[in-house]
Structure formats: structure tokens, C-alpha cells
Amino acid sequence: MFEVLADLQADSIDSISGLNTNEPVHPSLTSLNPFLGNSKTPALGLVDNFSDLNINSLTDISLIYPVEEAGCLVEDQLTRFATQPEFYDQFGLAFGENYNQEIAESIRQSLAQGDFSQLPKVEIISSDILGNANGAYANSVQTIFLSDQFVKTHNIEEIAGVLTEEIGHYIDSQINRFDAAGDEGDIFSHLVQGKLLPDEKLALLKLEDDSGVITVGGQNILIEKSQSSDLNGDRRDDLVLRAPDGNIDGWLLNSQGKATSPHRIGFADNSWSVVGIGDLNGDGRDDLVLRAPDGNIDGWLLNSQGKATSPHRIGFADNSWSVVGIGDLNGDGRDDLVLRAPDGNIDGWLLNSQGKATSPHRIGFADNSWSVVGIGDLNGDGRDDLVLRAPDGNIDGWLLNSQGKATSPHRIGFADNSWSVVGIGDLNGDGRDDLVLRAPDGNIDGWLLNSQGKATSPHRIGFADNSWSVVGESGYYRELSSLTDNDWNYQSRDNLFFDGNLQNGESLASVKQIYSDLSNGIFGSYKVMTAGYKDTTNYDGIHYGIDMGSTAGNTVKTVIGGTATLIQNISGNYFIGIKGDDGNLWIYGHLKNYTNGIVGKRVEAGSIIGTVFDGASYQGYWMYPHTHLEVHKGHNYNQANSISPLQAYWKWRNR
């Protein structure tokens, strides 16, 4: 039987507050409140209701009984699980293949014989202490914690599910030197209870980053959370969706993984874009990060119902800066922001306990030909690091120190540009995040990283037809993956969609940010769009590119490297093409002049290829200085193969 205790008595406080800060706690546990150590509340008494259970209660004593009943159910399920022929096949799904087999067999034999004496004790504690968390496992004190509010509001099977998950975290701590990949406790709970675990659900759990930090007795302790995007604290991941009118809803999932009725998280005008999701204040719940067209960045902290409280201002960054990632840069249990300037500088915004940014710090610099393709803990030190990719296919890691600053980059590996980095997560349970890459034919490979953050030889994860997308993939505005070519054409078609006037319609905020990034890459500053792709407002006929308002003499840079070619040879009104590394022909039109010697030669991204022309008379009207940008599929000039430059740039950034 389990040893069940309801809340913490004074003589147990010392063992909690004395937790080793290097020991992992495996929960849903958010924070243990130090005020417990000064509690003067008398114990409700010792109760000996069930054979060998020793119950010490500072909370509702009746909660002992449902926990005891759930414990009996868990014991029965564990015994049946330990005696089934496929035990080790399923065991490996949860805990990887590198666990201590001798200890694992000892645990299996004990469970099969109905001997549960080695399992950790269970303590029911106040939900005020656990916050939105349902349960947690602390290895240093060999204890499973349960929230009293969770026990009050859930049935026996659901309580048993949390108990089994935390037992899974306990087993993992016994057999693995490093925490197994993803949420091993949740995987173990599914398997023990005989619940369906589809491949896509297993893949998500394997990639889940369930680490965090709690505060016990004034000390920070590394924890493992049982969910990564749980909007209401029921231990199940939920979905966030946004409507065209700006409403943002949460879809809470039930125990079958099906959505219950949606609830309104909040509303933001479509001029605001959702730029990330992460735990901004360290309470164990993921929050939303939104950005306004004026550059303000707000945080929406979610409550225990998964609803947004009033927004707070995280900070401000000029729109020439892009939010390129969210992750815990300094290992304090709170996710931070990573922003990039048009000149290539990359800054970190460390967030405080209110989810507000302190002063930015410089992480490092990378030429704009390099893209930030992901954020993850590459060397297992509890801090997220940056992954960048060069136009030639090289992939580098930037390991961050305790101040969130990059040490010298190291080469992770190389992949042909036809391969895309589609995800980052711990694939083999060694405590280090690995890379997931996808080939154009649909094959998906894993790059396991060693203790130096360098890739060993790739392995084949599997294959999926390219009509399927990798869910949860990292990268540059990946939420736009669902857009079709027609969608991109519509989003890019009208310069009025980019002017901030809601009366004439607006493109998605993320698409507008892509245009801003593209403009900064070409000119080093934001230039107003004056005509859209296949524009229906300011252009007669078919406009096969976009026009970017600029001043005569402005320098024009190529955003993608490749071989330069001369498309139009008219003095003072040249068109230069770049046979780009992305397989497309990028055409920069209306150049007063072009850089000597570049035609037929390779130019790198960020290279100056010419300057903006002075204007010209065209079919009876005056063309003011501007730059025409056109992109064709393939390296041959063929306007029938044109695509939206915004779509092409987005694809390149997600290569």
C-alpha cells in the first residue's frame, strides 16, 4: 500500500525546505511556499484507517480515502503491467533504451509480486502551495505530492493517472542517469493504464520540454513539469486557436484527448500578432506573447482556468527588431525572449517574476545571411541555447552561459539546404535537446547531440508524405505553415493591407512582420509597400512582384546568396537577378546602377548589388523612386512561375 499523508506537519517541514537544489522534482509542482515552515496550524490528528497507512493531516482529512482508493487501483494496474509479455517493449517507450537493466528488472519483479514497499510516499498538500499543479515527484525526499484541490475535483481514475505519472518519474530517477526524453511519466501512465497512445501523441510527449524551477524554503530547485501547454491545470495539453476577427480561444482537451467546448482566452486586434507561447512568470502555466504594430510586446498571463488576466507590457522594440524565439536563457525557470536587429545583433530579454523584461543584453552577433532556426538546451545545463543556420547549410550552436550570453559558436553539423530544421527536442533521453530535420522527399531524420552540443551521425526517424506537417515545429512564423499558395497571394496582394488602416482590410500581423524583415534585409530599414503582389488596387494589369518605396540612391542588398545575372540592361533602370540558393530567381528592379563585376559571379546574402534609381517616365506617368522585387520558381526568368516574395522569403527562413 501507499503511505499517504495529507499535507505537511511541522516535523516534516525541515525535510522539504532542505531539498538539495541540484535534485530534480518531477511534477506538475509549481512552488512550495516557504511560509509553511512557520505554520502554527495544529494537525488534525493521526488516522489509521487502512492497515499500514500512516496519515498526518493539516487539510481535509476526507481526502485520504479517494487517494487510498486510487492507490489500490494503481497497484492493481502496476502488477498487471509488470507481468505482461511486452513489458520491456513498453518500458522502453517511456524510459528510452539506455536505462539500468538490472535495477529495472528488480523493480519489475517487485511490482509483479505486489510488493510496493519501494514506491515513494504520497503527501496531499494545499493547492495554494502547488498552484495549478496536480502532482509532483521530489527525488531528494522520495515523495509524491498531490494537490488537495485536484483530489477534491477529480474522480478516482484521474487521481490514479496522476499517481501513476509521478511513479513513472520516480522509476525514471532510479534507472536513468539523465531524465528520459520528454514527459516519461505521462507516457508511462498511458501505458500502465492501457490507454491508447497514438504515434503523433507519443512524438509530442517525447519532444515535450517539461523542465522548470520551483522555490522551496527560499531556494530554487530544478523541476520536471507534467505538462507543457496545460491551460487549466488538469495535466492535459490543450490547444490555442485564433479567429480572423482577433478572438483567441483555448480548446481544453479531455482524458480522451478530445476538445470540450472552446473558451475565450481573450481578444486582440489583428494588428497584434501572437509571437510565442511560454511560461513567462514561472507558475507552471504557459502564457501568450503578443506584439503590436508599433513594436510594443505584451504578455498575457493565464489563470488556472486558462483565461488571460489583463495584459502587461513586457517591453518595446522597434519593428526593425524581430522576435525570433522564446526560451529559458538563464535557467531560472522563466521563459525569456530573443530578439534580432536588422544589423544581425541578437539580444536576450530576461523576464522577472512578473513576466516583465529587465534591460536587454547582447547575446551575440550573426550576419543576416544566418537564420535563427531554433532554441533548445543543447548541452544539458538547464539553459536554452540558440541554433543558427548559414546559407551554405552549416548549422551552428550558440551555448549560453548563466548570464544568458553566447560563448563562442560551435559547428553542430551540415545539411544540404533542401533539408529543413523542423524541430528541437530531447530524442534519446540524455538531457540534451537534439535536432529534427526533414528532407524534401518527406524523410525525417534525428541528429543526436553529444555533451559538446555537436551532432553525431544522423538516424532516420521516419517518413511522412509532404502533405503532412510536423506539429510543434520550431522556426520562423511556423504558424503560417497552413497557408496555401492562394492564401499567400491574398495576404501579399495589396499594399493597403500593410498600412495599419483596419477600414480597408489588413494582412495577418505575422505576414506584415515578414515584410518588415524583408525590407530591413534589403535596405537596412523599413520601407513602405507601395504596390502588392498581383495588386488589385494600385496597379493596372498583373503585378508579378511587390514595390517597396525608397529614396533615390538607397543601397539595395540581396537577402539570399546566389549567382548574379543581368535581367534588364537599361541605363539608369537596371534589373539584377540572383539565382538564389533557395532555387528561386530573385529580381531586384529599378536600379540606377549595379555593383561592378557581379554579373556571372556569386554574391552572398547581405551584399550590396546596386542603388535605387532616380525615377522614370513610364506609359505617360512618372514612376517615383522605388524598388521592384520579383521572385520566380527556378533560375529562369518566367513570370508564369512567379510567387509571392513574402512566401519565398518565409520559406527560405524556414529552410
Side-chain angles (χ1 to χ4, degrees), residues 421-465:
V421 178
V422 296
I424 295 179
D426 185 359
L427 303 183
N428 62 341
D430 63 359
R432 296 184 292 266
D433 284 332
D434 310 295
L435 271 60
V436 181
L437 290 90
R438 191 173 191 179
D441 62 3
N443 280 313
I444 301 173
D445 280 10
W447 284 17
L448 302 182
L449 303 192
N450 60 23
S451 57
Q452 286 76 45
K454 299 181 179 180
T456 58
S457 55
H459 69 276
R460 179 62 33 84
I461 293 177
F463 168 85
D465 185 88

Side-chain angles (χ1 to χ4, degrees), residues 48 51 152 177 196 220 326 367 404 437 458 610:
D48 189 11
S51 60
K152 288 178 183 178
R177 180 181 177 187
L196 291 176
N220 289 331
I326 294 179
D367 184 88
L437 290 90

Side-chain angles (χ1 to χ4, degrees), residues 518-541:
L518 180 60
S519 175
N520 278 289
I522 295 173
F523 302 105
S525 62
Y526 182 84
K527 303 295 184 183
V528 174
M529 184 189 295
T530 56
Y533 176 64
K534 297 188 176 179
D535 199 321
T536 59
T537 303
N538 292 322
Y539 199 88
D540 295 328

Side-chain angles (χ1 to χ4, degrees), residues 578-592:
I578 302 295
K579 297 178 179 179
D581 295 333
D582 63 342
N584 295 323
L585 178 65
W586 289 73
I587 302 164
Y588 300 83
H590 304 312
L591 303 180
K592 180 177 182 178

Side-chain angles (χ1 to χ4, degrees), residues 192-206:
V192 170
Q193 295 177 92
K195 293 183 177 180
L196 291 176
L197 191 57
D199 290 345
E200 59 271 21
K201 173 68 173 176
L202 177 61
L204 287 174
L205 289 174
K206 283 288 188 181

